[in-house]
């Protein structure tokens, strides 16, 4: 079965932001179109507004002469645009002129303008003559052609002028109504042309900026994750920092820190219990040993003494586990040959009593290592004790040191099968269920070696017995 890959939060955010931006833009356009459709506004520039203000102000007097009333709308417009001028003509040739009409608009343009419904008259950019708007409009005096402008020259601007011009002509039916069936496809294409560049720019910007923003936002979370990956049994009390973690992730980090604290407390309680239990056992075990040694030398009493010794050894190993929590600051530089020779000398009487010869092979040169002396002594003691317990009670147990910082303990017993080389380092694992060992010695030795950046393994070879090698880094 194919393993499912975890989703990338970064690209999920990018895709969703692009879709959100596109949807927001589309909704905005739809709302604007709907608002314009409902309001049906008419946008007027200044010149068109002047014509619009004049439509309701044109009358005829009793003699049929054209006149312009000063309506409120026209008066307000003149106040806003004091330079406004206009020309009003009817079909009969009557006209009204007001303001400073430029000379160009006083000329006769022929019959073309009389047929125009509406138009904007303009000149080149370098020409100072102003634009004007002309429209054929229905007034109270009849159909009139009104030409108007808010200034007589382009020099009358206030410094900046912005003109926006857009013409939309929708297909119409014979009755003059809009033919949307023809207009909508073209309108859709126009809208797509206008929106597509915007969406592409927004999408490209999102693709470029969002990953960087997300990475920067999650930088603190990445650092926290790296620290979490380095937590092990020796740093169980560590608390992950939340200062640079995103606010949404902070509750998870707090919960993880609380879990770490509970685990550390539980581990410490467990260790204290084992230590206290081992200490409490030592006294009754010592009393039992003393009483057993006073018994007559019979097979049952000998087995009893051996069982008491095994129980005492197990209690000592439980106490040895307490040493794993010793800080690295307690280490010191020592002569490895001197340390190992001391352990070998301590176990020599026990090995001889068990039926072995004990040999010590020192290194030809001085080797210095930086270690916690008590921990290394206990690790080496467990290895030697393992050889005594499982070496077959015959032959020679050899403790050797080489120049690379390796310590080997060799026996001439039945050995350890190759398939069991790793299993014997597991806690409470024994090759022979009825053996005297408790199955903790080699496990403790490996943990101590690991604390010192060293290794411990069982060597393979054609020699008789087992060879266990502990390698420690040499101090140059």
């Amino acid at each position: 079965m194919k393993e499912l890959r975890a989703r990338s939060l970064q690209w999920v955010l990018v895709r969703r932001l692009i879709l959100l931006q596109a949807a927001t833009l589309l909704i905005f356009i739809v709302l604007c179109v709907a608002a314009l459709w409902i309001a049906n506004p008419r946008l007027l520039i200044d010149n068109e507004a002047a014509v619009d203000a004049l439509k309701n102000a044109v009358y005829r007097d009793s003699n049929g002469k054209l006149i312009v009333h000063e309506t409120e709308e026209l008066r307000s417009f003149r106040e806003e645009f004091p330079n406004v001028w206009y020309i009003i003509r009817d079909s009969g040739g009557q006209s009204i002129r007001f303001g400073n009409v430029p000379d160009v608009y006083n000329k006769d343009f022929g019959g073309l303008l009389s047929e125009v419904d509406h138009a904007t008259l303009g000149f080149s950019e370098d020409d100072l003559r102003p634009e004007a708007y002309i429209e054929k409009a229905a007034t109270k005096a009849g159909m009139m052609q009104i030409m108007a402008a808010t200034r007589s020259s382009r020099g009358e601007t206030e410094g900046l002028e912005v003109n926006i011009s857009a013409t939309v002509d929708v297909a119409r039916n014979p009755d003059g109504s809009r033919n949307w069936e023809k207009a909508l496809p073209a309108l859709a294409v126009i809208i797509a042309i206008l929106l597509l560049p915007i969406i592409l720019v927004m999408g490209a910007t999102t693709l470029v900026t969002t990953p960087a923003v997300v990475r920067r936002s999650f930088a603190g979370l990445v650092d926290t994750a790296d620290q979490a990956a380095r937590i092990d049994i020796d740093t169980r009390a560590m608390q992950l920092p939340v200062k640079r973690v995103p606010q949404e992730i902070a509750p998870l980090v707090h919960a993880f820190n609380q879990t770490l604290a509970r685990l550390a407390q539980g581990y410490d309680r467990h260790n204290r219990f084992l230590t206290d239990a081992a200490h409490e056992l030592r006294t009754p075990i010592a009393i039992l040993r003393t009483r057993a040694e006073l018994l007559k030398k019979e097979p049952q009493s000998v087995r009893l003494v051996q069982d008491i010794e095994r129980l005492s050894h197990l209690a000592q190993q439980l106490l040895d586990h307490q040493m794993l929590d010793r800080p690295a600051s307690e280490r010191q530089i020592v002569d490895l040959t001197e340390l190992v020779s001391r352990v070998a000398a301590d176990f020599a009487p026990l090995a001889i009593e068990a039926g072995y010869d004990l040999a010590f092979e020192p290194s030809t040169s001085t080797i210095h290592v930086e270690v916690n002396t008590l921990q290394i002594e206990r690790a080496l003691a467990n290895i030697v004790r393992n050889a005594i317990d499982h070496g077959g009670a015959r032959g020679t147990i050899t403790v050797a040191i080489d120049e690379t910082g390796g310590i080997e303990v060799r026996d001439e017993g039945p050995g350890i099968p190759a398939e069991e080389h790793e299993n014997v380092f597991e806690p409470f694992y024994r090759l022979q269920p009825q053996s005297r060992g408790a199955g903790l010695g080699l496990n403790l030795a490996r943990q101590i070696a690991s604390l010192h950046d060293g290794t411990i393994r069982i060597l393979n070879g054609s020699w008789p017995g087992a060879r266990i090698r502990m390698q420690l880094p040499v101090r140059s």
Side-chain angles (χ1 to χ4, degrees), residues 49-83:
V51 173
D52 196 61
L54 288 167
K55 290 178 182 179
N56 297 324
V58 179
Y59 292 87
R60 291 184 186 273
D61 60 13
S62 57
N63 297 323
K65 185 179 179 181
L66 294 177
I67 59 174
V68 176
H69 284 178
E70 186 73 8
T71 62
E72 182 65 26
E73 181 183 5
L74 183 57
R75 185 185 61 79
S76 299
F77 189 84
R78 285 177 176 174
E79 290 179 356
E80 185 176 358
F81 299 97
N83 296 322

Side-chain angles (χ1 to χ4, degrees), residues 174-226:
D175 60 357
S177 61
R178 294 182 176 89
N179 188 342
W180 290 112
E181 291 182 0
K182 291 184 178 180
L184 286 179
L187 185 61
V189 172
I190 293 173
I191 293 177
I193 293 174
L194 293 175
L195 291 183
L196 187 59
I198 300 176
I199 294 176
L200 290 177
V201 171
M202 293 172 62
T205 303
T206 302
L207 284 173
V208 172
T209 60
T210 302
V213 172
V214 172
R215 283 195 299 269
R216 184 177 180 86
S217 301
F218 284 179
L221 181 60
V222 173
D223 293 341
T224 301
D226 291 341

Side-chain angles (χ1 to χ4, degrees), residues 81-394:
F81 299 97
N83 296 322
V84 65
W85 59 265
Y86 56 81
I87 301 173
I88 302 174
R89 296 189 181 96
D90 64 7
S91 58
Q94 289 191 56
S95 66
I96 301 175
R97 298 172 183 268
F98 175 84
N100 186 18
V101 180
D103 294 338
V104 67
Y105 294 110
N106 285 318
K107 296 179 180 179
D108 184 6
F109 294 99
L112 178 62
L113 290 183
S114 63
E115 300 298 329
V116 172
D117 182 71
H118 62 276
T120 298
L121 307 178
F123 302 90
S124 67
E125 294 182 358
D126 298 331
D127 199 322
L128 292 181
R129 290 177 293 184
E131 291 183 348
Y133 179 71
I134 184 171
E135 179 180 342
K136 188 179 291 184
T139 68
K140 294 180 180 180
M143 292 300 296
M144 299 290 167
Q145 187 182 59
I146 305 175
M147 181 187 298
T150 58
R151 56 188 178 177
S152 300
S153 171
R154 290 187 181 180
E156 296 173 356
T157 60
E158 296 181 357
L160 180 65
E161 185 178 76
V162 178
N163 291 324
I164 299 176
S165 178
T167 301
V168 179
D169 192 6
V170 178
R172 296 178 181 272
N173 297 314
D175 60 357
S177 61
R178 294 182 176 89
N179 188 342
W180 290 112
E181 291 182 0
K182 291 184 178 180
L184 286 179
L187 185 61
V189 172
I190 293 173
I191 293 177
I193 293 174
L194 293 175
L195 291 183
L196 187 59
I198 300 176
I199 294 176
L200 290 177
V201 171
M202 293 172 62
T205 303
T206 302
L207 284 173
V208 172
T209 60
T210 302
V213 172
V214 172
R215 283 195 299 269
R216 184 177 180 86
S217 301
F218 284 179
L221 181 60
V222 173
D223 293 341
T224 301
D226 291 341
Q227 294 188 39
R230 293 194 293 269
I231 295 176
D232 55 22
I233 194 66
D234 299 317
T235 57
R236 58 187 177 274
M238 177 185 294
Q239 293 288 289
L240 300 179
V242 296
K243 184 177 180 180
R244 297 181 59 202
V245 173
Q247 184 178 3
E248 293 77 9
I249 309 297
L252 178 61
V253 178
H254 282 300
F256 187 78
N257 284 337
Q258 293 172 1
T259 301
L260 288 178
R262 289 194 298 270
L263 290 175
Q265 292 172 1
Y267 184 87
D268 292 339
R269 285 196 301 268
H270 177 72
N271 269 359
R272 285 195 300 270
F273 171 79
L274 292 178
T275 303
D276 295 342
H279 275 295
E280 292 296 326
L281 284 173
R282 296 183 71 178
T283 299
I285 289 173
I287 295 175
L288 283 175
R289 181 188 291 110
T290 301
R291 292 178 178 176
E293 289 174 351
L294 296 176
L295 297 176
K296 293 181 180 180
K297 298 294 183 179
E298 297 179 355
Q300 292 293 337
S301 63
V302 172
R303 285 196 295 270
L304 179 60
V305 171
Q306 291 175 349
D307 290 339
I308 294 174
E309 181 63 25
R310 177 184 171 188
L311 186 59
S312 176
H313 182 54
L314 175 59
Q316 181 59 48
Q317 287 182 327
L318 291 176
L319 287 174
D320 290 344
H321 271 274
Q322 185 185 21
M323 293 190 302
L324 297 177
D325 291 329
R326 296 287 180 86
S329 59
E330 294 185 5
R331 298 181 185 180
Q332 55 185 339
I333 299 176
V334 298
D335 185 342
L336 185 61
T337 302
E338 181 181 344
L339 185 154
V340 176
S341 65
R342 187 165 59 248
V343 175
D346 291 341
F347 275 86
L350 184 61
I352 295 172
E353 183 181 355
Y356 302 94
D357 292 329
L358 184 67
F360 175 60
E361 298 179 1
S363 172
T364 56
S365 60
T366 302
I367 304 171
H368 290 99
V369 292
E370 185 175 5
V371 296
N372 182 303
T373 304
L374 184 59
Q375 288 180 341
I376 297 299
E377 286 180 349
R378 293 310 306 170
L380 184 57
N382 280 308
I383 298 174
V384 176
R385 182 62 181 262
N386 186 78
I388 293 173
D389 290 342
H390 304 288
R394 67 178 185 274

